[in-house]
Amino acid sequence: SHLHGGEMSAGSRCLIADSDIATREYLASVLARWGFGSVLSADGQDAAGWLGMETFDAAFIHLHLPGLNGGHIAGLMHRGVLKKPPCVVLLGTAAELARVADLDWAKSTTLLAKPFGEPDLKSLMERGLGSRLSTVRRVLRRGVALVGKGFWSEAVAKVVSQRGAPALVVADASDVP
């Protein structure tokens, strides 16, 4: 495994586990444009190790990984053995995903069929990290706008401007003056 996007601050990282290097690199480049660093892994045991040690905002896991398959990793997250990011996306072909869609561990994830594009990813991430947006909306009701780095800052900035409030853009709460 390796890091993509340099140093990652808390709350700005994703795990990408796929044996296909092109998929790993594509996801990492899109996520980097949205302000996320990534840990890239081609092996299921390596990916499970990262999920056991670190906290991620999102995990993109292919169903068929060497070492430990993505379904097994999703099952471990579902049972609480591994940390479950707010946004878990299982990758595979449409046929592969259809075979697992009704399983309990798959129901607690988002299934994304290959091939996919940037609009698909953005929509999934916004749904998966919706709790962050809700938190910012609650903060806005109190008259303070905190907008973190990353892809979702556009959506939050839109909410701020619709309310006519100024937006203070910070990387995290420790940066508030």
Side-chain angles (χ1 to χ4, degrees):
S1 65
H2 71 277
L3 301 178
H4 185 278
E7 285 296 313
M8 296 181 291
S9 63
S12 64
R13 56 184 162 184
C14 298
L15 173 67
I16 301 169
D18 197 306
S19 57
D20 177 43
I21 192 168
T23 299
R24 288 193 313 268
E25 293 295 329
Y26 172 73
L27 282 168
S29 68
V30 170
L31 293 168
R33 285 197 307 273
W34 297 340
F36 285 89
S38 298
V39 172
L40 308 182
S41 178
D43 178 81
Q45 287 184 327
D46 182 59
W50 278 102
L51 287 165
M53 296 182 307
E54 299 291 331
T55 301
F56 294 94
D57 287 306
F60 295 85
I61 303 170
H62 194 271
L63 280 176
H64 298 292
L65 288 170
L68 191 63
N69 74 47
H72 192 76
I73 294 170
L76 292 171
M77 285 188 287
H78 180 71
R79 291 191 304 277
V81 176
L82 295 175
K83 295 176 187 175
K84 183 177 182 225
C87 182
V88 176
V89 181
L90 291 180
L91 306 170
T93 66
E96 292 168 339
L97 296 173
R99 284 193 294 273
V100 301
D102 291 329
L103 300 174
D104 284 342
W105 54 261
K107 290 178 184 176
S108 65
T109 68
T110 299
L111 306 178
L112 180 61
K114 291 182 177 184
F116 52 83
E118 191 168 334
D120 303 313
L121 294 172
K122 189 165 187 171
S123 174
L124 292 174
M125 291 288 282
E126 287 172 343
R127 285 196 315 262
L129 295 174
S131 61
R132 281 189 171 177
L133 295 176
S134 298
T135 300
V136 173
R137 287 186 186 109
R138 283 195 302 276
V139 170
L140 284 174
R141 283 190 214 112
R142 291 185 228 138
V144 178
L146 301 178
V147 180
K149 291 180 0 182
F151 79 92
W152 58 278
S153 61
E154 293 172 352
V156 176
K158 185 184 284 186
V159 171
V160 172
S161 66
Q162 288 170 348
R163 291 179 173 259
L168 173 63
V169 179
V170 295
D172 61 47
S174 65
D175 293 335
V176 177

